[in-house]
Amino acid sequence: GAEEDYVILQQPLDHIYLAATSAMALFNAIDSLDNITMTGTQASGWYIENAVKAMDDGKIKFAGKYSEPDYEMLVDEDCDLAIESTMILHTPKVQEMIETLGIPVFTDRSSYESQPLGRTEWIKLYGAMMNKEEEAKTFFDQQAQVIEKLKDFTNTEKTVAFFYINTSGSPVVRNPKDYISSMIEIAGGRNAFADLQDDSGKTSVAITMEEFYNTAADADYLIYNSSIDASVKSIDDLLAKESLMADFKAVKEGNVWVTDDSMYQHTDTIGELITDLNLMLTGGSEEDMTFLHKLS
């Protein structure tokens, strides 16, 4: 009678359609890529080496992006689970169609976690799905130890504005309760938008340029989120988007950075981004960083 209240998943789940890119690294960490046979990202869009190889070898097929899946392929490949990101909430008819085909849809909400470890802890859920709970627990405990060691960083009291500019020209910053904001604090910095008032529950918040200017003009560091918008390769590119930013302290002092395009896919190495942030804040070498690059 449980079917009345719950969606029952029958193991083994070995024909998964993975549209939530952040989950791939977690499946990889518990050696479960063989359970994924379809994905919503082309091989060229993956930064996880084993995922690229699996697609090149034909073990994982591209089955259409989350908003336009190849329904016929999902059926022909006997898809037993579709794992979606919260983007699926913007296309409810797609989810309805997948479920109409008898395929359960699971929504990964890891991006809504307020702590970086919370995002990685989703590996325990996927470990349960794959019947690899011990492997998932071991991996998570290792990451927890990494974060514990990083908590010894002394706070520099330097402010960091983490943002990108959307297609409408509006700055988009992180919710102060978001895991990225938490990473900045753990790394020894202060989120410039820590006092931002937003009750939407969204991880990213679009604000006016005036509000962004008033808050971030005096920030010690600017970090442009290149994993969302990869068009900014230099400070000139940034100023082309918004000339007012020439007045920003971080621009004048040359403390403008961009994230690596792959940042959001690496949910399995959260300690590395925190370490990068600390190196940035303390004048460390860019050569020792993984996910941050300084703009010139």
Side-chain angles (χ1 to χ4, degrees):
E3 290 87 349
E4 296 177 9
D5 299 309
Y6 302 97
V7 175
I8 308 299
L9 302 180
Q10 300 286 351
Q11 292 178 327
L13 298 167
D14 49 13
H15 291 78
I16 295 173
Y17 166 60
L18 183 67
T21 55
S22 63
M24 184 68 84
L26 302 181
F27 274 86
N28 186 48
I30 55 174
D31 194 25
S32 292
L33 289 193
D34 287 346
N35 295 75
I36 299 169
T37 56
M38 293 160 285
T39 180
T41 303
Q42 297 272 16
S44 59
W46 285 110
Y47 298 97
I48 298 164
E49 191 174 324
N50 286 341
V52 175
K53 186 177 187 307
M55 293 196 75
D56 288 343
D57 293 343
K59 294 179 180 178
I60 298 179
K61 299 178 181 178
F62 175 65
K65 58 186 293 189
Y66 77 94
S67 58
E68 298 176 351
D70 185 333
Y71 300 112
E72 188 174 339
M73 181 183 289
L74 296 184
V75 173
D76 290 345
E77 294 289 327
D78 297 321
C79 180
D80 46 32
L81 176 65
I83 300 178
E84 303 277 355
S85 73
T86 52
M87 294 298 289
I88 195 68
L89 302 178
H90 300 296
T91 55
K93 290 185 178 180
V94 173
Q95 178 172 344
E96 183 181 339
M97 182 61 182
I98 295 174
E99 291 173 337
T100 299
L101 296 173
I103 301 168
V105 175
F106 176 82
T107 305
D108 182 304
R109 295 176 179 268
S110 61
S111 62
Y112 283 75
E113 294 289 348
S114 61
Q115 297 294 327
L117 261 181
R119 195 164 181 246
T120 304
E121 194 168 21
W122 281 66
I123 197 170
K124 293 182 179 180
L125 183 145
Y126 294 125
M129 286 185 180
M130 300 297 101
N131 201 23
K132 291 187 176 181
E133 291 176 88
E134 283 302 313
E135 292 90 331
K137 181 180 183 303
T138 297
F139 181 84
F140 177 76
D141 288 346
Q142 290 170 347
Q143 289 298 304
Q145 290 175 10
V146 170
I147 296 297
E148 190 61 36
K149 291 177 182 177
L150 299 181
K151 286 182 178 178
D152 293 334
F153 287 144
T154 301
N155 204 293
T156 64
E157 300 301 331
K158 293 177 180 177
T159 50
V160 180
F162 189 100
F163 75 106
Y164 72 95
I165 296 175
N166 65 20
T167 53
S168 301
S170 299
V172 180
V173 301
R174 304 297 294 197
N175 188 309
K177 297 178 182 178
D178 169 68
Y179 72 93
I180 292 287
S181 302
S182 177
M183 283 180 162
I184 292 171
E185 294 283 333
I186 296 172
R190 299 295 185 198
N191 177 14
F193 290 89
D195 296 327
L196 181 70
Q197 299 298 314
D198 181 75
D199 299 321
S200 67
K202 296 180 179 179
T203 58
S204 298
V205 185
I207 60 176
T208 65
M209 182 54 70
E210 181 181 8
E211 187 177 0
F212 184 75
Y213 186 98
N214 291 338
T215 304
D218 293 326
D220 296 299
Y221 294 88
L222 295 178
I223 300 179
Y224 196 84
N225 190 354
S226 190
S227 57
I228 297 293
D229 174 21
S231 67
V232 174
K233 305 295 184 184
S234 67
I235 290 179
D236 284 344
D237 289 341
L238 182 62
L239 297 182
K241 285 182 173 289
E242 180 49 68
S243 59
L244 280 175
M245 297 188 71
D247 297 334
F248 282 44
K249 174 184 176 181
V251 173
K252 292 178 179 179
E253 296 181 354
N255 287 322
V256 183
W257 297 70
V258 293
T259 64
D260 191 85
D261 297 352
S262 68
M263 184 186 73
Y264 283 134
Q265 289 187 18
H266 287 284
T267 44
D268 57 332
T269 54
I270 55 172
E272 290 186 17
L273 178 56
I274 297 174
T275 300
D276 287 357
L277 288 166
N278 180 258
L279 287 169
M280 179 194 75
L281 292 163
T282 56
S285 172
E286 185 181 343
E287 292 181 358
D288 297 327
M289 299 182 187
T290 305
F291 297 117
L292 291 181
H293 311 285
K294 193 172 187 176
L295 291 184
S296 57

